[in-house]
Amino acid sequence: MPKIIPTRTPMAEQPPAERVRNFDEVPFGYTPAEAVAEAERCLLCKRPTCIDGCPVHINIVGFLELTAKGEFRAAINLIKESDALPAITGRVCPQEAQCEKVCVMARKYEPVAIGRVERFLADWEASQGDLSVPDLAPPSGKKVAVVGAGPAGLTVAADLARLGHQVTMFEALHEAGGVLVYGIPEFRLPKTIVQREVNYVCSLGVSLVRDFVVGMTATLDELLEDYQAVFLGSGAGLPWFLDIPGENLSGVYSANEYLTRSNLMKAYRFPEYDTPIARGRRVITIGGGNVAMDACRTALRLGAEESIVVYRRSRDEMPARLEEIHHAEQEGIQFNYLTTPLAILGDDRGQVTELECLRNELGEPDASGRRRPVAIPGSNFRIPADTVIMAIGQSPSPLIPRTTADLTTKRDGVVVIDEATGKTSKQGVFAGGDVATGGATVILAMGQGRTAASAIDEYLKTGVW
Amino acid sequence: MYRIIEKQDLAPAIKLMVVEAPHVARKARAGQFVIVRIDEPGERIPLTIADHDAEQGTVTLIFQEVGKSTMQMGTLAVGDSLITVAGPLGHPTGIAAYGTVVCIGGGVGIAPVFPIARALKEAGNRVVSIIGARSGDLLFWEERMRSASDELIVCTDDGSYGRKALVTEPLREILEQRPGEIAHIWAIGPGVMMKFVSRTTQPFGVPTTVSLNTVMIDGTGMCGGCRVVANGGAQFVCVDGPEFDGWQVDWDLLLSRLQYYRPQEQEAIAAWQRGSCHAEEATA
């Protein structure tokens, strides 16, 4: 029986007062000794629950056992059997809602910090030099088009290249990585890590075509003339707005726009980089997910004196990763829970000045299982602001469905797939990631990509749809 | 990389470039636009496609040097490259046989209205075109517009060339003098011009299409920075437009949103001019 160590090995990070003035990554990651110490906390359960808690079923107990013995190379290789991008998932997975939630230790103590160990192993491997390129199967002579070079597309491309297929990724933006480059800020996921993973996928022989907007530059049907199968991993890029008065005033951003300006276009380095961004003094972010946390923390780093979150439910219902909420609180973000925005008010130049809100109380659980916010009549109040960021969700872009007659989508543009294979309604076309979920996690997108890759391989070999 | 194979100065601060972009040229249609980027720190700039040649694999872009990015783009020469040309984006113009139509181009807006006029004429319409600019030296493509039109009216604000008038004046006369003849109107130019064209045509009930050029990043529906209020709700210029019913556009909102980055634009121009002066000193 191993010795019980009740608390997690802490991970060093930049102090809050310092990090709010830079875009560098917040946590420093474990040292080898810390990773070993944390891995030793694992009870090595005979019937581990953690593996089923992972959407891609990484052999967690296996890699923790190897890490505890100091066998880092074997440990990272074991992870990579199930997860092609561990440096990324180690940083952005909501571990507390997945593997760490069901860790047996969590019943009485703190769960093993699985994500931190995963992250350590991926960074350790990178520090050893170039990522090794695995053996590729002999060329199959089949061509596959991957639409979108985000987490789902990169996973599919890597898997199919290893199986010997000739893969071309078509990316609408000028850089590969999808939400990893336009959405997630540098301080949470350094872009050099994304670039490393993209380079790895390309080193497998995958071609990357940038500036190619499928649906406009070529339709899905045109791709199918040249490729035997297409994987659609085009994400969920169309931002939602609340449809409240004043939403089109100057100074109101979608989180997508705000984050794309800062992350992809590097507006935080304006005027060295050309793209401008509002340097608001009082910035309100509406929403409670990871995107909202990324936006409000970016605002702080862009020089906001006050960065305020408005969320209609309470802290317990916030969908953001716990670590992000914790970091945001440490950094001095002000949280207005149980608050519903009613209208954005502006001045005579069309510039935002205030957000009018209503207080809520929690009622009965709704369809999502979270307690529904119920407005308190007459509780109206206003928060002064010069910038308002809408981080309330997004849906897939309409460009591909509207140029593809036989691709079935739900009303919000989400592409309908067969969960077991990723097959869409259109022969030869598979889909996964946010385009098929409407917006979920990086790890889920990768899981669906992996499922689709094996179904695509099967389809290419048999020709049976 | 997308090589520049031709460059012309059309007017002071208005330049034309023919750029190799076969993937765009293959699909481009009148009314659509591209997003370009000059270099790695560059912003994404939406530019309407003024012409394209599918066989040569080229697109023609015309731009006015109004900000740091377009000024810098103006310094590029034949043989240089753009690092991004993405598209074609936006809905193409609805080309059909309407009867007699009016096509209005103001300033640099003459460039995008040309392919629309040409396509409308090819579709069998009688095309009356009105082009205008602040002064005669800012006019370009008069002959091209004449070749795409059955009638061409040229005017300048200061009367230095053609008729001394705003484009709305000959437009109003046509609508008054030829009741019932004009089936549809297209207008492309500065926001203020399109606003007043729309105001002019509405009492006559002649449908008026405008092409909006707003602040934009990706051009694919991702950022929403281009949104305007039209048809009673928020619309994205990139995926719902760029063409809209001019009567339905909230022009004052659009014009105020266009001003939002004005201070940063000035800052960027100043920083760039300082930088390019230093570069000139260094090479001198």
Side-chain angles (χ1 to χ4, degrees):
Chain A
M1 186 70 190
K3 191 170 71 123
I4 300 277
I5 305 161
T7 56
R8 290 144 78 102
T9 311
M11 179 163 61
E13 57 187 35
Q14 285 197 70
E18 191 175 305
R19 70 189 189 227
V20 296
R21 293 196 300 268
N22 67 53
F23 275 82
D24 299 340
E25 193 176 13
V26 170
F28 296 128
Y30 278 159
T31 62
E34 287 166 343
V36 169
E38 186 58 23
E40 282 174 342
R41 293 184 63 229
C42 175
L43 301 175
L44 304 177
C45 303
K46 290 245 161 35
R47 282 190 296 272
T49 47
C50 51
I51 299 178
D52 285 335
C54 171
V56 296
H57 302 284
I58 295 175
N59 185 346
I60 294 168
V61 173
F63 88 70
L64 288 174
E65 187 173 13
L66 289 165
T67 306
K69 291 184 200 158
E71 295 179 27
F72 301 150
R73 176 72 66 189
I76 187 65
N77 286 342
L78 188 59
I79 294 179
K80 287 169 87 175
E81 283 179 18
S82 319
D83 176 350
L85 313 168
I88 294 169
T89 50
R91 287 171 166 84
V92 304
C93 262
Q95 287 95 0
E96 75 274 9
Q98 299 176 357
C99 53
E100 294 177 11
K101 183 183 182 183
V102 293
C103 173
V104 169
M105 283 285 282
R107 291 181 197 164
K108 287 179 76 173
Y109 312 108
E110 289 182 1
V112 177
I114 298 165
R116 294 177 182 181
V117 178
E118 178 189 23
R119 170 200 158 119
F120 162 78
L121 291 167
D123 290 354
W124 175 85
E125 187 194 28
S127 73
Q128 303 299 300
D130 286 347
L131 304 185
S132 57
V133 176
D135 292 336
L136 306 181
S140 68
K142 305 285 189 190
K143 291 168 70 183
V144 183
V146 170
V147 180
L154 288 167
T155 304
V156 171
D159 281 7
L160 291 176
R162 292 180 66 169
L163 292 165
H165 304 301
Q166 190 185 332
V167 183
T168 305
M169 290 190 291
F170 291 94
E171 170 55 48
L173 294 172
H174 56 265
E175 233 174 87
V179 72
L180 307 173
V181 296
Y182 75 74
I184 303 179
E186 182 77 16
F187 58 80
R188 195 150 79 82
L189 178 63
K191 299 306 155 238
T192 50
I193 290 172
V194 181
Q195 194 54 54
R196 192 168 82 203
E197 302 297 344
V198 171
N199 290 348
Y200 169 75
V201 173
C202 291
S203 76
L204 302 175
V206 172
S207 316
L208 170 64
V209 178
R210 287 172 271 242
D211 310 327
F212 198 104
V213 186
V214 174
M216 300 302 295
T217 312
T219 62
L220 270 190
D221 288 294
E222 287 166 330
L223 288 182
L224 283 168
E225 291 168 14
D226 293 328
Y227 297 88
Q228 284 81 53
V230 175
F231 175 78
L232 192 55
S234 46
L238 194 77
W240 292 349
F241 288 88
L242 279 170
D243 206 14
I244 58 174
E247 229 167 7
N248 301 303
L249 289 166
S250 288
V252 182
Y253 285 90
S254 72
N256 261 2
E257 178 181 2
Y258 193 73
L259 293 172
T260 301
R261 281 180 183 273
S262 183
N263 301 332
L264 177 71
M265 305 309 297
K266 302 200 166 42
Y268 68 90
R269 290 165 69 178
F270 177 89
E272 180 196 349
Y273 281 74
D274 288 345
T275 304
I277 192 166
R279 299 255 176 179
R281 290 176 55 226
R282 290 180 57 89
V283 180
I284 297 178
T285 302
I286 298 173
N290 286 320
V291 174
M293 295 305 103
D294 288 344
C296 71
R297 296 172 68 200
T298 295
L300 215 53
R301 284 159 175 78
L302 287 171
E305 288 159 21
E306 293 184 75
S307 181
I308 302 155
V309 168
V310 166
Y311 180 55
R312 62 198 182 111
R313 305 180 200 246
S314 73
R315 189 181 189 277
D316 289 344
E317 286 82 27
M318 287 234 288
R321 284 178 91 217
L322 206 56
E323 188 185 10
E324 310 314 325
I325 300 171
H326 176 66
H327 279 153
E329 288 171 342
Q330 280 184 333
E331 290 169 10
I333 304 289
Q334 302 167 35
F335 286 86
N336 277 260
Y337 293 113
L338 293 168
T339 304
T340 296
L342 288 183
I344 304 168
L345 308 163
D347 61 19
D348 53 5
R349 295 175 302 122
Q351 166 68 44
V352 172
T353 54
E354 282 179 310
L355 180 72
E356 177 158 349
C357 303
L358 203 56
R359 297 260 186 235
N360 298 322
E361 53 194 0
L362 284 179
E364 294 301 307
D366 64 11
S368 72
R370 296 178 297 177
R371 292 181 67 190
R372 184 193 303 272
V374 180
I376 304 170
S379 63
N380 301 44
F381 68 103
R382 290 179 178 188
I383 312 172
D386 49 41
T387 308
V388 175
I389 303 167
M390 298 286 173
I392 55 163
Q394 57 275 321
S395 51
S397 157
L399 293 180
I400 292 172
R402 83 181 182 200
T403 52
T404 313
D406 44 0
L407 185 70
T408 305
T409 59
K410 297 178 200 163
R411 218 179 48 175
D412 51 5
V414 172
V415 173
V416 177
I417 58 167
D418 170 35
E419 289 294 333
T421 59
K423 285 179 181 174
T424 68
S425 60
K426 185 174 177 66
Q427 181 164 353
V429 179
F430 300 74
D434 283 357
V435 75
T437 58
T441 55
V442 168
I443 188 74
L444 198 64
M446 289 171 41
Q448 290 187 332
R450 173 136 295 186
T451 301
S454 60
I456 291 169
D457 182 53
E458 180 73 16
Y459 172 65
L460 292 174
K461 283 182 177 142
T462 63
V464 179
W465 181 248
Chain B
M1 299 290 267
Y2 307 91
R3 213 159 54 94
I4 299 163
I5 60 165
E6 190 186 332
K7 183 187 175 188
Q8 290 174 26
D9 289 348
L10 295 180
I14 297 181
K15 295 201 161 62
L16 171 150
M17 276 179 187
V18 180
V19 181
E20 284 178 345
H23 65 303
V24 179
R26 200 172 58 83
K27 291 284 277 191
R29 285 163 65 192
Q32 293 186 296
F33 66 98
V34 289
I35 294 271
V36 307
R37 212 162 51 105
I38 302 166
D39 56 14
E40 202 44 53
E43 60 186 329
R44 294 172 66 94
I45 314 165
L47 291 174
T48 312
I49 300 170
D51 206 350
H52 65 276
D53 185 329
E55 276 178 30
Q56 299 291 316
T58 58
V59 293
T60 301
L61 307 174
I62 292 179
F63 57 95
Q64 187 161 19
E65 296 170 347
V66 287
K68 182 260 174 184
S69 295
T70 42
M71 287 176 188
Q72 186 187 348
M73 189 166 159
T75 65
L76 298 181
V78 170
D80 290 341
S81 294
L82 301 174
I83 64 168
T84 296
V85 179
L89 301 169
H91 286 292
T93 304
I95 301 295
Y98 295 90
T100 302
V101 297
V102 175
C103 292
I104 304 167
V108 74
I110 297 168
V113 95
F114 164 70
I116 295 171
R118 182 177 59 183
L120 286 164
K121 187 162 164 65
E122 281 167 4
N125 295 283
R126 182 178 158 75
V127 178
V128 180
S129 294
I130 306 171
I131 58 172
R134 282 202 314 279
S135 59
D137 60 340
L138 295 171
L139 274 173
F140 61 93
W141 276 15
E142 180 183 349
E143 287 317 307
R144 288 192 108 181
M145 282 303 292
R146 196 177 302 284
S147 71
S149 314
D150 295 278
E151 276 178 59
L152 177 71
I153 299 160
V154 182
C155 42
T156 53
D157 297 5
D158 64 1
S160 56
Y161 187 85
R163 178 174 163 187
K164 182 180 190 305
L166 302 172
V167 294
T168 44
E169 294 168 49
L171 173 65
R172 181 185 301 279
E173 290 162 14
I174 289 169
L175 292 169
E176 281 170 352
Q177 290 161 13
R178 310 185 200 176
E181 186 187 327
I182 309 300
H184 203 114
I185 294 164
W186 277 263
I188 309 182
V192 176
M193 182 204 94
M194 294 191 283
K195 170 182 171 178
F196 283 99
V197 165
S198 302
R199 284 215 180 148
T200 303
T201 62
Q202 193 161 13
F204 294 92
V206 183
T208 302
T209 300
V210 295
S211 178
L212 303 181
N213 193 346
T214 51
V215 172
M216 206 176 270
I217 305 178
D218 58 290
T220 65
M222 237 182 69
C223 77
C226 64
R227 66 195 187 279
V228 294
V229 170
N231 310 320
Q235 304 268 311
F236 288 6
V237 170
C238 61
V239 294
D240 299 320
E243 295 191 348
F244 290 92
D245 175 348
W247 303 343
Q248 300 290 333
V249 173
D250 182 337
W251 290 104
D252 294 338
L253 183 81
L254 179 135
L255 293 170
S256 82
R257 281 183 69 86
L258 283 174
Q259 300 296 316
Y260 186 55
Y261 290 105
R262 190 52 63 88
Q264 283 101 323
E265 283 166 14
Q266 298 303 327
E267 187 187 339
I269 290 170
W272 184 70
Q273 285 174 339
R274 274 198 306 275
S276 55
C277 289
H278 292 158
E280 276 166 31
E281 281 166 22
T283 53

